[in-house]
Amino acid sequence: MPDLLGQWMYQPALPPMQVLAIVALLLGLTVFAYFRSAGDRPAAAAGFGGMRVLAVLLLGALLMGPSVIPEADEEQTARATLTVMLDTSTSMLTPPTPPTSSRSAPPTLSRSDSSTDSSSGTTEGATRFEHLTEHWLNAQQLAGLDEHFDVRLLGFDTAGRPLSADQLAQPAAEVAVGSGTRYAESLTTALLDLDRATRGEPAELLLLGDGHDTTDASLNAAAAFAAERGIAVHTVAVGSQRQPPNVAVVALPRQEYLLIEEQGQLIVQVHQGGLNDATVQLYVESDGERIERTIDFAGRRSVTVDIPIEHEQPGVYAYDVHVEPLPGEVATADNQQRAFVEVLDRSMRVLILEGEPYWDTKFLAQSLRRDARLELTQITQVSTQRQEGIVTRTGAEATVPTSVEAFAAYDVVILGRQVEAVLDAEGLAALRDWVLDEGGQLVLARGRPYALTSNAGRTAGEILSMVEPVRWHEGLVRNVPLSLTPAGRSSPLFSMAGLNADLDDAFATLPPMRVIYAVDSLKPAALVLARLGPGQRVGRGDDESASAPAIVEMNVGSGRVLALLGEGLWKWRLLAPNLAEYDGIFDAFWSNAVRYLAAGSEFQPGENVTLQLGRSIVQAGDPLTVDVVLRHAPPPGFDPTVTLTAPDGQMQDVTPTLRPGARNRYRATVHPDAVGVWRASLEAAELQPTQQERPFSVYQLDLERLRSEARPQVLRDLSERTGGLFFDAAEPVNLAEQLERRRTSQRVPPSAEYIWDSGLILLLLVLWLGLEWVGRRRLGWL
């Protein structure tokens, strides 16, 4: 075995006895050469012989393989950076193990459940979040990690964010509030940040959670990146793979406003988690009447049912929708919801004016004719000599309005393209004044409603510019999908009850607008409801960071304008079979738009102020608009205050402000977060009515907690692919000791380096032997 002396060791190229034999042989030859040449010049022979003896001894020493062990690599001994990621979604409020009562089928259910309980948790009652903070991220564990690593704490759900040690000690319900978990996205972001911060220095990541990604995104890309960068991802899996039983209901009216004796629908979605083939009873109660439906999930995650509703008197009607709590159900607050429907005692009259017929207005008119409570008049300039008028559900004649009084006969006016071919300057001015002074509701259905290529078109542009929500610019963009803004998501226009898809996903999937007209800028009072897809811009615009606007709403004067800044929405009416889940979205949009505008302009006899809500049902945390609208100009010093009463009775005052460009509309935006029935009330002593109150319902569909089964195998695979450690949360360990032990085992001991593997030593040996050869040569011995 090689001798080890300090940092030196010997690694013979040959067995030591063979090396000694070679050295002895070479020394013998050296002695023979000495006696052969010592006769005439003994001193020179002795000198050259000594040189050769030294060379032979040096060669023999080198053959014994003297080596040096270098110092350990600084990268392996350097202090590593450790990012600790903790899942802070609401699924972490689930007990680590299912309650005992949930292990058997509830008596009211009929189901087959062959799933096994593979737990990664502790006692019943505690939450997953509490178990991790008490056993895996307590003060002792964190102190141990700090001794060996530079630790950075992150919380993540829909996105990652810094997390402090103090937050770990807070109640779980205050920290685990995320409505979704994006494991792949959050992990990838954390790995990128860690790689940039360490720049090749030692780095590791510890992820603690249940492995449930709400979006079902794959972790393959994140794992591949971590493996490539040499970042080990350790994981701690908490929670049971068995889903506790859970059910949630969401009830939305198909139309926010109904007319008397008009049949509408209440769309009720019943979502389930852990029930598989169960059946539950759904109850809908209103005015002492109860409707009961049996919901058979048959393996589906949700079931949607239509509840027919109809009322003979105007007013606001409440519907209580609920499913009885199930045995073993953890969260029952979302088992019930109250929905409101407002019934109006009137019909709605709509006028469509079109100077350049196209599919947009054709399908729009067809859609509105399906609404039995709309009286539709459509006037189209078919050619320069011919005008066509179609009247639905009224015996009146289709005549083009030319005065404010004539426009006042309609609740909503919709303009297509080249309106200057239908309305002359006098009619356009009457339309403008109707909006500004009489509270008219105007829709621009196909972008800029006039052409600038004619004198009549330019005149129309000058007249209508006062009520347009944008300033137009030259340029077009084609075939770009739309994306909703936060204001659009809360708008009644996009209240798509019964749509079994996320609205954002729907807008990204539906056919794009055929063309969007460029805008130079938005007017101050304009509210953008939808934009073009990310990065798509036309014109200059006011916000360089935003995409171009596509659907805009604006209060102007006493009225309101809704503008679609392009055309091609008709494609939503003719969808391909693979888009069948979005059927009806075109009709729903236009029905909502017309009813929203028509209802917003209504005052009951004797009323000169009204309190309006953007929606009667809103999801917790989403924006809700609260409007105070006056029939005429506000009295001096008018400063409305709206009082919001939460379900627990707590009250808060909000102060609507006069909207830019509007003469009589005050607006405030609130974000109610408490689930239940709220009430908005207005007192206006100097106006009629002096007191008004409107209820609205706040619901919370928490799919993250509804389907909270853990996925430990996902985390195990992540650790295995990146060379990290996997831990079962049911068996706490000393994290610092385990991670440091692994790191030590991964260190590669330094390899011994041969002394002769040096250019200087080899050069000296060659020069030494070369000098001896030259000397012998000059003496004639060679």
Side-chain angles (χ1 to χ4, degrees), residues 180-229:
T181 321
R182 299 181 181 270
Y183 268 79
E185 182 178 322
S186 301
L187 177 60
T188 299
T189 301
L191 288 170
L192 288 170
D193 292 343
L194 183 59
D195 183 58
R196 282 192 294 264
T198 56
R199 297 183 180 277
E201 296 178 356
E204 301 181 27
L205 188 145
L206 173 65
L207 188 152
L208 305 95
D210 53 25
H212 185 107
D213 190 309
T214 309
T215 63
D216 292 326
S218 172
L219 298 181
N220 289 340
F225 177 82
E228 178 186 351
R229 292 296 195 272

Side-chain angles (χ1 to χ4, degrees), residues 6 93 125 396 509 671 760:
L93 300 177
T509 307
H671 296 77
L760 179 60

Side-chain angles (χ1 to χ4, degrees), residues 549-566:
I551 302 178
V552 181
E553 177 190 351
M554 184 178 74
N555 293 310
V556 53
S558 300
R560 184 162 39 184
V561 179
L562 174 67
L564 278 69
L565 305 182

Side-chain angles (χ1 to χ4, degrees), residues 111-130:
R111 67 173 179 175
S112 57
D113 187 355
S114 59
S115 61
T116 58
D117 180 17
S118 174
S119 299
S120 295
T122 56
T123 59
E124 296 178 8
T127 66
R128 297 172 181 176
F129 185 89
E130 291 167 337

